[in-house]
């Protein structure tokens, strides 16, 4: 049903577009020294935001980012009907303690680093369905809390392989609405769990690339589009290792996205100077890049249409230590301006 | 807008009801010895389901339950457009490895033990919005994997306070559709994070009761209904300690639900014989009780309308060890048969 609401097996095309009323992004100190620093709404100097732990700091980061997005949309907190939010921490504690004061009905999401795409997708479906006038989609990640949970204590100062990525300290939030604006979400393609059997948790790019390739391929099929129909196809945090695999996988399927591909993880840090190795990662990586740099490029007319494809690596220390592979998932969102 | 789609601040009333085409529940050995044993589709004798770990066992449990729900709905796996699923484990590993083989687009959810309500809510919104013909909502929990993650190694044989609950080993899955059936979802009320500052992770009932009271109160206000308008108001896993608090809180707000309240956690085990103390808990507790006993009572005509309110305690060992409180969240779903 090409012109209908449902397209193909995995895609929706919104008859009435959903508008992005505002976006907000607050990033950490290291991100504030990177190439995207001028596009962040705020850069915090203290990664704990004055709290007692990395986790409380991440919650404060999401709290301030959501509050800023609501202010920029010129609406009241009570105008927001639903909150779609998630983070990387076990049981979403960054989100729980970050959103508690807003007292907005919450749909807690876990899509690993694809969560920003999952939230924008469900948020857009909710607005388009007439279930709400305003919703907020938000995601966060934090280097300190993520390293502590997934890898080693920071004090241990472990070496990091060149394939590893650096978890972005940052949060992005978006207010979605049916009120007409300049930037809109016109479609989504929802990803499946894809597992190529990669077991290296220090090579997330390789774990996630097959899921990104799968959802991008399905999107182009469902919408009957070519890569050139997009100014950019933006993956979340594949890094340079994952990018190579993604481009190869899609070429094998007949799509060459080389000229339009951009990976947020490869944009956010200045390597090798910032020594992050393969690039940035985390829910916050794609969230702050979209809310900052990409939204800016839409407003300045540099971008007309992108496919935003945050990528998630689905694993925990438990599944990893039990010898499980690290499957991936990715969710694609079509964002464009009126031509 | 009483007759509209949106009702009050937190509720939706579906103009066209969403139908529950099928439900499936598979429970563990201990649950299979409890009062609800005759209502489960299957009871597994081996809690690892022949796998190498509790986590892989839980994944297998969810996998078999979803497959059974799809079979009972007499549809094909490829007819299911979206999967809304979650569990209690860090980064949803039970769900990730449980759903991987279905290759259905996945929205991963985390609402702690309220996840079955979150999944049914988003699933119903998705069907009502015309985004899909069929979706599956599923949730699971597992005593072994939950104790290992949240409490102590089973081998340690720690003592459990009388206020503690026993995580249910079980999974429930539901196929939702616009195809007309006998049992339907006619409305939802989405919960907020509610924190009364309780810090006792061995007293989840006290942590979750305020969130349950909050969403039930808001639901009755939004729908302009009285407790007696429901045959049962069914909370997920408050246990006997949480129930007492819930009834008190709602009485203070002018609603006496004593005569219609039922808590899945107090139904699923035979205490004190089964020695589970305050009752059962976990995403699986409300999921298998709804998919088993309650669906049976709808079919037999015993039930006409219930308010299903799974309750979640939002915490992780990290937030707990950092001295954070344990906030709660609960999501309410109106399930009824045609009068």
């Amino acid at each position: 049903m090409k012109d209908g609401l449902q397209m193909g097996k995995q895609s929706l095309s919104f008859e009435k577009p959903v508008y992005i009323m505002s976006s907000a992004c607050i990033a950490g100190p290291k991100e504030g020294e990177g190439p995207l620093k001028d596009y962040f709404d705020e850069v915090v100097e203290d990664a704990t935001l004055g709290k007692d732990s990395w986790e409380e700091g991440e919650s404060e980061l999401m709290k301030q980012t959501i509050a800023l997005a609501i202010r920029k949309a010129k609406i009241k907190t009570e105008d927001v009907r639903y909150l779609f939010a998630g983070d990387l921490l076990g049981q979403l504690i960054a989100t729980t303690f970050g959103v508690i004061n807003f007292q907005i009905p919450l749909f807690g999401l876990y899509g690993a680093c694809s969560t920003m795409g999952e939230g924008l997708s469900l948020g857009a479906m909710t607005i388009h369905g007439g279930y709400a006038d305003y919703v907020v989609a938000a995601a966060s990640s934090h280097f300190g809390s993520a390293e502590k949970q997934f890898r080693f204590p920071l004090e241990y100062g472990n070496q990091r392989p060149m394939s590893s990525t650096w978890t972005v300290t940052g949060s992005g939030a978006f207010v979605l609405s049916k009120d007409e604006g300049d930037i809109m979400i016109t479609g989504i393609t929802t990803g499946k769990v894809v597992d190529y059997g990669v077991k290296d948790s220090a090579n997330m790019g390789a774990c996630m690339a097959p899921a990104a390739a799968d959802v991008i391929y399905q999107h182009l099929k469902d919408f009957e589009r070519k890569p050139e129909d997009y100014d950019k196809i933006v993956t979340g945090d594949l890094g340079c290792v994952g990018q190579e695999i993604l481009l190869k996988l899609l070429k094998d399927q007949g799509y060459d996205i080389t000229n339009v591909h951009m990976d947020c993880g490869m944009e956010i840090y200045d390597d090798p100077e910032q020594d992050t190795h393969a690039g940035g990662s985390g829910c916050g990586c794609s969230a702050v890049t979209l809310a900052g740099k990409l939204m800016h490029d839409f407003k300045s007319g540099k971008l007309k249409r992108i496919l935003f494809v945050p990528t998630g690596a689905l694993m925990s220390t438990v599944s990893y230590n039990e010898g499980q592979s690290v499957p991936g998932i990715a969710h694609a969102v079509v964002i464009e301006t009126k031509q």
Side-chain angles (χ1 to χ4, degrees), chain A residues 60-336:
Chain A
E60 181 64 22
L61 193 62
M62 183 186 278
K63 177 183 170 183
Q64 292 185 14
T65 306
I66 291 173
L68 179 58
I70 292 172
R71 277 203 306 280
K72 287 173 79 174
K74 298 186 172 55
I75 58 173
K76 297 194 217 70
T77 301
E78 47 271 39
D79 296 331
V80 180
R81 192 171 174 83
Y82 297 109
L83 188 53
F84 295 87
D87 59 86
L88 294 178
L89 303 182
Q91 292 76 47
L92 298 191
I93 53 170
T95 299
T96 293
F97 295 100
V99 306
I100 213 166
N101 293 337
F102 294 113
Q103 288 298 292
I104 300 169
L106 169 70
F107 288 113
L109 309 178
Y110 186 78
C113 306
S114 75
T115 299
M116 195 69 255
E118 184 181 356
L120 287 171
S121 298
L122 288 168
M125 288 164 71
T126 299
I127 293 292
H128 185 271
Y131 301 131
D133 297 331
Y134 304 102
V135 304
V136 166
S140 72
S141 58
H142 191 294
F143 178 75
S145 61
E147 285 294 304
K148 172 176 160 183
Q149 171 167 267
F150 293 104
R151 298 175 186 92
F152 299 95
L154 293 186
E155 297 80 355
Y156 177 56
N158 62 293
Q159 284 195 311
R160 304 170 54 250
M162 295 309 289
S163 63
S164 67
T165 49
W166 190 280
T167 305
V168 165
T169 297
S171 176
F174 299 81
V175 174
L176 305 183
S177 163
K178 55 189 181 184
D179 300 351
E180 201 158 328
D182 298 327
I183 306 171
M184 53 199 180
I185 295 173
T186 55
I188 62 173
T189 302
T190 305
K192 306 171 294 189
V193 180
V194 176
D195 184 13
Y196 274 27
V198 182
K199 294 192 172 190
D200 183 358
S201 72
N203 188 353
M204 293 293 192
C207 301
M208 299 184 289
D214 186 78
V215 82
I216 292 168
Y217 172 84
Q218 193 61 50
H219 173 82
L220 295 172
K221 284 280 173 201
D222 287 349
F223 279 75
E224 296 176 18
R225 286 179 183 165
K226 304 179 298 304
E228 308 78 64
D229 292 327
Y230 292 95
D231 297 322
K232 282 185 165 51
I233 293 178
V234 183
T235 50
D237 51 0
L238 296 181
C240 52
V241 176
Q243 179 187 46
E244 196 180 330
I245 300 168
L246 171 69
L247 297 179
K248 167 95 172 58
L249 287 172
L250 282 173
K251 267 189 194 146
D252 293 348
Q253 292 177 294
Y255 289 111
D256 185 352
I257 68 164
T258 310
N259 297 332
V260 293
H261 182 248
M262 162 189 157
D263 182 68
C264 300
M266 295 172 69
E267 301 289 322
I268 196 163
Y269 297 119
D270 187 4
D271 277 306
E273 285 64 20
Q274 287 191 285
D275 196 32
T276 58
H277 299 352
S281 62
C283 307
C285 181
S286 58
V288 299
T289 304
L290 176 62
K293 167 89 167 99
L294 293 168
M295 285 296 130
H296 172 274
D297 289 352
F298 270 117
K299 287 171 190 147
S300 70
K302 256 195 213 163
L303 293 176
K304 293 287 183 199
R305 181 199 278 165
I306 68 168
L307 187 65
F308 177 64
V309 192
T311 40
L314 299 165
M315 54 96 64
S316 78
T317 49
V318 174
S319 62
Y320 179 72
N321 290 331
E322 288 177 349
Q324 294 267 36
S325 58
V326 183
I329 191 165
H331 299 298
V333 182
V334 182
I335 303 172
E336 56 192 297

Side-chain angles (χ1 to χ4, degrees), chain A residues 13-57:
Chain A
S13 166
F14 297 121
E15 290 146 344
K16 285 177 6 212
V18 173
Y19 296 92
I20 297 177
M21 287 198 64
S22 73
S23 67
C25 51
I26 303 179
K30 190 180 182 79
E31 294 68 28
E33 295 166 359
L36 304 187
K37 59 177 181 296
D38 298 337
Y39 302 104
F40 301 136
D41 292 304
E42 289 174 33
V43 172
V44 295
E45 287 181 10
D46 166 15
T48 67
L49 287 89
K51 301 292 178 181
D52 296 333
S53 68
W54 301 123
E55 294 74 20
E56 288 180 54

